[in-house]
Amino acid sequence: MSAKADWASKDFYAELGVKKDATQDEIKKAYRKLARANHPDSNPGDTAKHEKFKTVAEAYDVVGDPEKRKEYDEFRSMPAGFSGGGFPGGGFPGGYSAGGFDLNDLLRDRTGGGGGFGDMFGDLFGGGGRARQQPRPRKGADAETSATISFTDALEGVTISLRLASDGACATCHGTGGKPGTRPHVCPTCEGTGYVAVSAGGGFSMNETCPTCHGSRMAYDEACPVCHGSGRGTSSRTIQARIPAGVRDGQRIRLRGKGSPGDNGGPAGDLYVTVKVRPHAIFGRKDDNLTLEVPVGFDEAALGAEIKVPTLGGAPVTLRLPAGTPNGRTFRVRGKGVKKADGTQGDLLVTVEVHVPAVLDAAAREAIEAYRAATSDKPLRTRLFEEA
């Protein structure tokens, strides 16, 4: 009996364990349950379950598709003479049609047209039937770029414009890889699964993306004359990207969905931006704290003083230096640093540098000579020689 006449002898609803008036959702749930229970990968060596898997897959390939299901129901409701047995050879005369459809095309050949085991795996995980001739959606490639921003923008966050040249879908074939006007067919290399088995040695094999259809499950006899079948083309575009507050120099930011466009309705890839921060004239950064080096006079360090120091984007603050402050001492001004993700702020770390004047006037020289005379009995380097 031919595959086309096979519909007359098979009750696909019974194979799936559903009623004839079951909803498409009920049919899908029944199929998934049976397919998981009888999948060959889960039941190695169990021939009965392997055959059951093929049977439920064939049933779902028909009644799981609303159009095929309609044809199947009409075919099953015909008088017995139309079931295939009423014509010589158990088939139908070429070109005979009834009910608005070609009886010779009710069921596609399993090895040539749409349908097949590639769809069984696709439907098992929620994919559609290959008979719809829809290539599988693919996510776009991720893209890389860099951006240079100011020190202040890095602390406060900023929106920047980025011009990107990326590998997007071919403008001629729209990412299909086929010559415009031609129709796809099931990939002959992978038979519509989207992958091929490659030997890994030692009796093991692994699945790799099909080199012919690149995982789309469909192939074209004539390739696109522009992209030569790759489905890819170079595109240029400008996007607005938000750089978050507190970003560090050299940090890599991920922007979801800002990468290369996807194929066949698939989502876009991600964009990774490496941020370069221009140094500030006087401020530096250490983790979530700002740093600042402030020159002070010898007298201020020796006698103590109150000095004003700037803050980034705010009013100056007064810093109290105790008498005898050494060169290089660091003071902490709380809450004047980098804004953190939780809304709090780091601190400002102020390091003092005791300033030694290069030129002295007469009054300053006299005062320092008097200081030298007053401290001449207390040499600073005596201990060095004692320890040596």
Side-chain angles (χ1 to χ4, degrees):
M1 179 180 292
S2 70
K4 298 170 185 177
D6 231 12
W7 281 10
S9 60
K10 293 184 177 180
D11 187 342
F12 293 138
Y13 294 109
E15 294 289 356
L16 294 172
V18 297
K19 298 179 180 180
K20 184 178 179 181
D21 58 355
T23 66
Q24 292 297 135
D25 188 53
E26 290 172 338
I27 291 174
K28 179 180 287 188
K29 289 180 179 178
Y31 165 69
R32 288 181 175 178
K33 181 179 180 181
L34 290 170
R36 289 191 184 100
N38 296 280
H39 197 285
D41 291 347
S42 303
N43 302 278
D46 192 330
T47 305
K49 288 194 174 183
H50 294 187
E51 291 301 317
K52 181 63 176 178
F53 178 77
K54 294 178 182 179
T55 301
V56 297
E58 179 187 14
Y60 183 68
D61 191 50
V62 177
V63 298
D65 184 317
E67 294 298 321
K68 283 188 178 181
R69 182 183 182 183
K70 179 181 177 183
E71 294 177 354
Y72 172 73
D73 289 343
E74 291 179 354
F75 180 83
R76 294 272 294 178
S77 66
M78 291 180 185
F82 284 92
S83 65
F87 296 98
F92 299 98
Y96 184 87
S97 63
F101 55 90
D102 190 349
L103 295 179
N104 283 319
D105 292 329
L106 286 176
L107 187 62
R108 297 174 185 266
D109 186 87
R110 303 297 292 185
T111 61
F117 290 114
D119 284 342
M120 297 179 194
F121 297 112
D123 288 334
L124 182 61
F125 299 101
R130 225 170 44 207
R132 297 177 178 85
Q133 300 294 310
Q134 293 296 324
R136 185 165 54 192
R138 288 184 293 176
K139 181 182 178 181
D142 294 337
E144 295 267 359
T145 191
S146 63
T148 301
I149 61 177
S150 71
F151 187 88
T152 302
D153 285 340
L155 299 183
E156 298 177 352
V158 64
T159 299
I160 61 175
S161 296
L162 294 174
R163 186 166 182 80
L164 306 175
S166 61
D167 179 29
C170 172
T172 301
C173 67
H174 304 291
T176 66
K179 180 179 179 180
T182 61
R183 294 181 62 82
H185 56 79
V186 175
C187 176
T189 302
C190 64
E191 296 183 349
T193 63
Y195 57 85
V196 292
V198 178
S199 175
F204 294 95
S205 63
M206 59 185 295
N207 291 333
E208 291 186 355
T209 302
C210 175
T212 301
C213 67
H214 307 290
S216 69
R217 306 187 298 178
M218 310 301 293
Y220 290 80
D221 289 329
E222 296 184 72
C224 171
V226 176
C227 67
H228 306 292
S230 70
R232 313 304 297 170
T234 302
S235 62
S236 180
R237 59 199 171 98
T238 300
I239 67 168
Q240 299 298 308
R242 179 65 185 175
I243 304 300
V247 66
R248 295 176 173 81
D249 182 47
Q251 186 171 344
R252 197 165 176 250
I253 305 297
R254 179 186 184 186
L255 303 176
R256 295 181 181 275
K258 297 292 186 178
S260 299
D263 291 335
N264 308 311
D270 299 329
L271 174 64
Y272 292 88
V273 182
T274 300
V275 181
K276 300 178 181 178
V277 180
R278 289 192 294 268
H280 194 275
I282 62 172
F283 289 99
R285 181 175 178 180
K286 182 179 180 180
D287 298 326
D288 290 325
N289 300 317
L290 293 180
T291 61
L292 177 66
E293 294 179 349
V294 177
V296 298
F298 169 76
D299 60 309
E300 293 175 318
L303 302 176
E306 289 186 352
I307 63 173
K308 286 189 177 295
V309 296
T311 61
L312 186 63
V317 296
T318 299
L319 184 66
R320 184 184 297 273
L321 302 181
T325 296
N327 180 62
R329 180 174 176 179
T330 298
F331 296 86
R332 183 182 297 270
V333 181
R334 298 193 178 279
K336 297 298 180 179
V338 180
K339 186 176 182 180
K340 303 178 184 178
D342 61 2
T344 61
Q345 284 190 272
D347 302 328
L348 173 63
L349 306 179
V350 181
T351 301
V352 298
E353 294 182 333
V354 179
H355 177 65
V356 178
V359 179
L360 296 173
D361 59 21
R365 177 175 291 277
E366 183 179 351
I368 293 178
E369 286 178 348
Y371 170 77
R372 175 186 288 180
T375 58
S376 60
D377 61 338
K378 299 176 182 178
L380 298 177
R381 292 173 291 279
T382 300
R383 184 180 176 184
L384 293 179
F385 292 96
E386 291 176 350
E387 294 293 337

